[in-house]
């Protein structure tokens, strides 16, 4: 029999590998096969390819192949995902919540990963008749769609979904959008007027520079002066306003010298024009204002994208739910558009995004984020489920009592977000540095003007103006706050809530890490850590005896037997033993579970049949599976690790030995006050990782406190950071985030200092004109900004490798 080499092909749409059995399966389904015919891994991908082919958009694949996504995630489309119901997007309630004018909606798109995606999505009006325009923001993975009169947002969402980009409508804050839109419109009007008038002024300047003399030259000068009035008044008004506000506060900002330089230039030009002189700066000043306005608009646009509030409530509470659009008909929708009274279903494993009343059904939820209790809660009809609970199991229907932004958890997160936006000590120092920097530049500029005042005042003004413009303290005003804000956002995406930027600053210089043991290094709940039994039926007997008992040890034995797949034996009767344990009778045998004598470190229990032991189990507080990896990373990173525990010494020593702690790094049977004293005595920057409010004293003593357990509001009163997931996986990432922010800040400080010294020297020496200064200044600011953004990409790459 001849052995055939497996055929390997690739899906034309998502580029997933297709093995020979899959190819044969595709052939049997009737799909086209043969040389040059594209193959698909599933019907969903074939359907999307058909849509693109029908509308002449197969150039998408050439663009994608030429510009592969940074993170090569296949755009695989499940056929069941292509038939989602988006009829809820045509409801009046949705339009009120998601659109400021009823015709414009912003969608978050899953699966957008490269420039080819942007090209395809902006072609949406070409093949979706309900769309007038589509504007894509690749950085935010959003598309803003404007529909035609009478168009359907459900049809638009369905089209996006069929293209392989699952859409989620985003709720808009109408007042914020109105203000932002108005501000951008005013900025663009100001830039447009300045550009038009400056262009005409430069035409006059070319004639003057070209040799125009006499009455014609004087006429051109007058026209240029008149055209410059709107530019140097209305166009330059933001600089005057900012400078005035700064002076009223008795502070200096970068607009003070710029505004002064413009006013001096205008005054000099007017005096020269009145005297019939030629020292006129109307053209240069107008061009300067236009370039400064344009560069600031560009930088502000970049900042609006990256330097924004952390929006913790969005990260935690805005998800996808199923909403009842009419009786018995359910449609997937964003939680952000829910209204009070809506009936919804929550996906298993998701955080509940609303406060809801159980309308029907039964469910299990975990409220650890709110209460700190790790045990699951049973909820049924009439019970209230708060936002922040994790939906564990069940099929209940909730009626919305409070929308995501009205919930108690949203209030807690908003307060935390407000605290996170407060400036760290490092940022305060940078603000102070910026003040001194501007003052020094201002004094140097004044010195240059005075030096040339008698010999050539025009040259002195030109050099001083170039110096003021090119030496911008952008690293203080942009890069440092940006690096801090991005660090907080990166942590939030990993489920870590940071209370203040100060904590990031302290984390990057930490030297020692102190751990509580129970519920931090360990799971905090009793678990079977060792077992010895001969038959699977022994576990069935164990489960039958313990499954209805409420004691934590009984529950741990039941969980173990259930996990091992044992079916519970039904006993005729079960009784509790006075000495501890339970006893049951079946088929002429008496079975008992009772304590065994042991070392005292863990609890030992035996399963007896007519007083003969047939199995034994050791129950203890199990070490978290990720603890070993986290400790290894911290030690390799040069950090000292210690245990501070209130538990008994034998138990702590056993745990410490397993995790590689030495005796000098381990302390047991400690009170909260004793933990705090040890941390204070450590004499170095320290981090305390512990069990919520129980370790409040230790958190206060440490440089940074990280809570891994307990309720969110209580924990954040005591600690600086809170892990929303009950594990330690995010700890290495936190240190990486902090160190990445530090590297970006120091790199930007070095670049800014080098640039300002070099450019300032060139300006003082007369090697740089004010116009060139206006060109170079935004480029330097942009370089610093991109450097801060690069550190974010660098962290994501490092995280992927680790």
């Amino acid at each position: 029999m001849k052995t055939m080499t497996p055929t390997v092909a690739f899906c034309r749409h998502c580029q997933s590998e297709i093995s020979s059995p899959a190819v044969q399966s595709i052939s049997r389904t009737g799909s086209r096969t043969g040389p040059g015919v594209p193959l698909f891994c599933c019907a969903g991908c074939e359907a999307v390819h058909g849509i693109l082919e029908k509308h002449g958009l197969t150039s998408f694949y050439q663009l994608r192949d030429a510009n592969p996504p940074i993170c090569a995630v296949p755009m695989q489309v499940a056929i069941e995902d292509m038939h989602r119901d988006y009829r809820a997007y045509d409801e009046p309630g949705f339009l009120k919540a998601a659109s400021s004018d009823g015709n414009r909606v912003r969608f978050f798109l899953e699966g957008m990963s490269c420039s080819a995606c942007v090209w395809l999505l902006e072609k949406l009006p070409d093949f979706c008749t309900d769309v007038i325009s589509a504007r894509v923001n690749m950085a935010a993975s959003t598309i803003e769609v404007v529909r035609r009169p009478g168009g359907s947002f459900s049809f638009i969402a369905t089209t996006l979904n069929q293209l392989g980009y699952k859409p989620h409508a985003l709720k808009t804050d109408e007042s914020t959008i109105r203000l932002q839109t108005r501000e951008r419109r005013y900025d663009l009007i100001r830039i447009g007027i300045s550009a038009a008038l400056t262009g005409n002024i430069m035409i006059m300047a070319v004639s003057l520079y070209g040799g125009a003399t006499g009455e014609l030259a004087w006429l051109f000068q007058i026209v240029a002066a008149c055209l410059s009035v709107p530019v140097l008044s209305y166009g330059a008004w933001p600089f005057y306003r900012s400078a005035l506000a700064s002076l009223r506060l008795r502070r200096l900002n970068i607009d003070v010298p710029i505004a002064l330089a413009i006013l001096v230039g205008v005054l000099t030009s007017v005096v020269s024009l009145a005297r019939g002189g030629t020292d006129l700066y109307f053209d240069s000043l107008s061009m300067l204002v236009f370039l400064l306005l344009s560069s600031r608009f560009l930088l502000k646009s970049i900042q609006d994208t990256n330097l924004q509030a952390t929006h913790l409530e969005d990260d935690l509470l805005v998800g996808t739910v199923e909403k009842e659009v009419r009786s018995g008909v359910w449609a997937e929708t964003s939680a952000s558009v829910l209204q009070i009274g809506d009936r919804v279903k929550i996906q298993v494993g998701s955080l509940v995004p609303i406060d809801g009343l159980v309308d029907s059904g039964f469910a299990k939820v975990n409220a650890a984020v709110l209460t700190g209790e790790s045990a699951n809660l049973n909820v049924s009809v009439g019970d209230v489920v708060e936002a922040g609970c994790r939906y564990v199991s069940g099929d209940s229907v909730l009626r919305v009592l409070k929308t995501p932004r009205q919930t108690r958890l949203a209030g807690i997160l908003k307060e935390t977000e407000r605290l996170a936006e407060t400036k760290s000590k490092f940022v305060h120092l940078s603000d102070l540095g910026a003040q001194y920097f501007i003052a020094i530049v201002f004094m140097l500029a004044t010195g240059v003007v005075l030096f040339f005042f008698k010999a050539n005042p025009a040259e002195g003004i030109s050099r001083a103006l170039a110096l003021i413009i090119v030496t911008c303290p952008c690293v203080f005003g942009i890069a440092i706050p940006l690096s801090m804000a991005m660090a907080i956002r990166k942590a939030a995406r990993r489920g870590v809530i940071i209370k203040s930027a100060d904590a990031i600053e302290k984390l990057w210089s930490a030297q020692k890490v102190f751990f509580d043991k129970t519920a931090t290094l360990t799971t905090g709940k009793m678990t079977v850590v060792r077992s010895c039994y001969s038959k699977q039926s022994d576990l069935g007997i164990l489960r039958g005896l313990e499954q209805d008992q409420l004691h934590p040890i009984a529950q741990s034995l039941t969980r173990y037997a259930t996990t091992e797949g044992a079916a519970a034996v039904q006993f005729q009767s079960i009784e509790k033993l006075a000495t501890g344990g339970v006893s049951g009778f079946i088929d002429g045998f008496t079975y008992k579970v009772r304590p065994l004598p042991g070392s005292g470190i863990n609890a030992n229990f035996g399963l007896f049949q007519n007083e003969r032991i047939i199995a034994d189990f050791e129950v203890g507080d199990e070490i978290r599976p990720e603890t070993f990896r986290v400790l290894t990373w911290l030690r390799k990173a040069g950090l000292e690790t210690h245990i501070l525990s209130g538990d008994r010494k034998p138990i702590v020593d056993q745990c410490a030995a397993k995790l590689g702690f030495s005796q000098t790094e381990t302390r047991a049977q400690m009170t909260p006050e004793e933990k705090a004293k040890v941390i204070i005595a450590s004499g170095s920057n320290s981090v305390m990782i512990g069990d919520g409010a129980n370790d409040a004293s230790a958190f206060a003593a440490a440089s940074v406190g990280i809570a891994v357990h307990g309720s969110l509001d209580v924990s954040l009163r005591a600690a600086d950071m809170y892990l929303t997931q009950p594990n330690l996986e995010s700890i290495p990432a936190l240190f990486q985030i902090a160190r990445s922010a530090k590297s970006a800040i120091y790199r930007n400080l070095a670049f800014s200092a080098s640039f300002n010294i070099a450019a300032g020297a060139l300006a003082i020496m007369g090697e740089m004109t004010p116009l060139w200064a206006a060109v170079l200044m935004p480029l330097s600011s942009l370089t610093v900004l991109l450097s801060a953004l690069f550190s974010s990409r660098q962290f994501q790459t490092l995280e992927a490798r680790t």
Side-chain angles (χ1 to χ4, degrees), residues 225-274:
C226 292
L227 290 175
S228 71
V229 172
V231 181
L232 301 178
S233 54
Y234 173 73
W237 174 244
F239 309 123
Y240 304 143
R241 181 179 56 197
S242 173
L244 267 172
S246 178
L247 291 174
R248 282 174 184 164
L249 295 172
R250 297 182 180 180
R251 298 181 62 183
L252 286 176
N253 66 12
I254 192 63
D255 287 330
V256 172
I258 288 177
L260 184 61
I262 293 173
L263 291 174
V264 170
V266 169
L267 182 61
T268 303
S269 300
V270 170
V271 171
S272 179
L273 183 62

Side-chain angles (χ1 to χ4, degrees), residues 89 106-110 166-170 319-320 332-334:
Y89 287 174
R106 198 160 54 100
F107 294 93
F108 174 79
L109 300 180
E110 294 181 10
K166 189 176 177 182
H168 301 280
L170 298 175
T320 301
E332 193 175 79
T333 190
S334 170

